[in-house]
């Protein structure tokens, strides 16, 4: 999955810097959530998420032709496999980190140490549930386009020759993308960073298999909804 070096390099670089400065770096500096400062305390119409989703759709539309699509005649079979498999792995990872979080809480209580907890409040009406679902849907699409498609594609394209010839460079780029997504969840705590790191690896692998951003979005969306309800 590489971008040919041509006269579009400078525009591509400009777009990359804009995405980096306005979408990739800012989440690193989001305030940490603790106590009653839950992200679920208020549900409102997801204006920001809609804008982000629209922007990411145009970004995907512009660059999707640069994806090497193989076995397009098998796309329906490929679509079903990553959706079920990816969601299952994501949920399994979430269960592991939920168990670690619960164990940490029990240990802290035994040691008479108080660790601030995030008090998640579920939506309490049809409208708030609707806005919650839309919020998750648009956010999932935005994150899949930015972190699983655009960021890896851009970095590989800027270092196309090296990443193709040197596996270490290829792996380094993939790790960098994982860290970007992981630390965008720093405001939720360090366990969420680790959870996001492994979730990115699963979602990125799914995208490399299916070449279908909508499959990834569906798995990501279902994962967020089920996690909110059950966990």
């Amino acid at each position: 999955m590489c971008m040919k070096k041509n006269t579009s390099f400078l525009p591509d670089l400009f777009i990359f810097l804009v995405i980096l400065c306005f979408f990739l770096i800012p989440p690193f500096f989001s305030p940490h959530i603790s106590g009653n400062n839950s992200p679920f305390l208020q549900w409102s119409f997801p204006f920001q998420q809609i804008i982000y989703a629209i922007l990411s759709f145009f970004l995907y539309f512009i660059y999707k032709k640069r994806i090497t699509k193989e076995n397009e005649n098998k796309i329906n079979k490929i679509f079903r496999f990553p959706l079920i498999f990816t969601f299952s792995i994501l949920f399994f990872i979430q269960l592991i980190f939920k168990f670690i979080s619960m164990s940490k809480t029990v240990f802290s209580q035994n040691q008479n140490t108080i660790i601030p907890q995030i008090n998640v409040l579920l939506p309490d009406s049809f409208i708030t549930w609707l806005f919650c679902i839309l919020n998750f849907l648009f956010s999932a699409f935005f994150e899949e386009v930015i972190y699983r498609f655009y960021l890896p594609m851009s970095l590989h394209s800027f270092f196309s020759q090296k990443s193709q010839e040197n596996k270490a460079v290829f792996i380094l780029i993939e790790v960098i993308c994982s860290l970007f997504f992981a630390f965008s969840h720093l405001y939720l705590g360090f366990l969420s960073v680790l959870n996001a790191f492994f979730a990115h690896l699963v979602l990125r692998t799914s995208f490399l298999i299916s070449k279908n951003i909508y499959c990834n979005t569906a798995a990501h969306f279902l994962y967020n909804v089920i996690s909110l309800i059950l966990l």
Side-chain angles (χ1 to χ4, degrees):
M1 191 165 51
C2 66
M3 213 182 284
K4 293 182 179 180
K5 292 185 177 180
N6 49 36
T7 55
S8 68
F9 176 77
L10 289 179
D12 289 339
L13 180 61
F14 174 76
I15 294 174
F16 176 79
L17 292 176
V18 170
I19 298 296
L20 180 68
C21 294
F22 290 96
F23 298 102
L24 294 174
I25 294 179
F28 294 173
F29 303 98
S30 297
H32 185 270
I33 294 175
S34 61
N36 292 322
N37 297 319
S38 169
F40 305 111
L41 282 177
Q42 296 181 354
W43 293 108
S44 59
F45 194 75
F47 286 109
Q48 180 179 348
Q49 287 74 15
I50 290 176
I51 293 174
Y52 281 11
I54 292 174
L55 291 176
S56 58
F57 175 80
F58 281 108
L59 192 68
Y60 181 66
F61 180 79
I62 292 171
Y63 287 105
K64 70 176 182 178
K65 292 182 180 179
R66 301 184 184 185
I67 301 177
T68 302
K69 289 191 175 183
E70 299 175 354
N71 301 323
E72 285 201 30
N73 59 331
K74 299 180 180 180
I75 192 63
N76 290 330
K77 293 181 180 179
I78 292 176
F79 181 89
R80 297 190 194 99
F81 172 71
L83 177 58
I84 299 173
F85 181 76
T86 303
F87 171 75
S88 301
I89 298 299
L90 288 175
F91 195 71
F92 178 71
I93 293 173
Q94 175 72 344
L95 288 177
I96 292 176
F97 281 99
K98 184 65 176 179
F99 175 77
I100 294 174
S101 178
M102 293 174 62
S103 301
K104 185 177 179 181
T105 301
V106 172
F107 177 77
S108 65
Q109 290 175 346
N110 292 337
Q111 298 295 321
N112 296 321
T113 302
I114 299 177
I115 296 179
Q117 299 295 315
I118 297 176
N119 300 317
V120 177
L121 300 180
L122 292 174
D124 56 4
S125 68
F126 172 79
I127 294 298
T128 54
W129 266 111
L130 177 61
F131 291 166
C132 169
I133 297 300
L134 291 175
N135 189 318
F136 280 163
L137 179 60
F138 295 133
S139 297
F141 180 70
F142 167 75
E143 290 184 348
E144 291 309 309
V145 170
I146 294 297
Y147 293 102
R148 254 66 74 182
F149 167 69
Y150 178 75
L151 181 59
M153 181 205 67
S154 297
L155 293 179
H156 283 303
S157 68
F158 295 146
F159 302 94
S160 58
Q161 186 174 355
K162 291 184 178 180
S163 65
Q164 290 174 10
E165 296 177 354
N166 192 327
K167 290 185 178 180
V169 175
F170 181 90
I171 294 174
L172 178 62
I173 289 174
E174 293 295 332
V175 170
I176 290 173
C177 295
S178 300
L179 292 176
F180 263 101
F181 183 69
F183 281 95
S184 70
H185 294 76
L186 184 61
Y187 68 99
L188 292 173
F190 187 67
L191 282 181
S192 293
V193 171
L194 291 177
N195 184 19
F197 178 84
F198 290 106
H200 172 88
L201 296 180
V202 174
L203 287 164
R204 174 65 176 158
T205 301
S206 174
F207 180 73
L208 289 175
I209 293 173
S210 68
K211 304 293 191 298
N212 192 312
I213 202 68
Y214 305 109
C215 168
N216 267 41
T217 299
H220 191 157
F221 167 72
L222 290 174
Y223 164 75
N224 284 343
V225 173
I226 298 300
S227 296
L228 173 64
I229 296 174
L230 299 181
L231 301 177

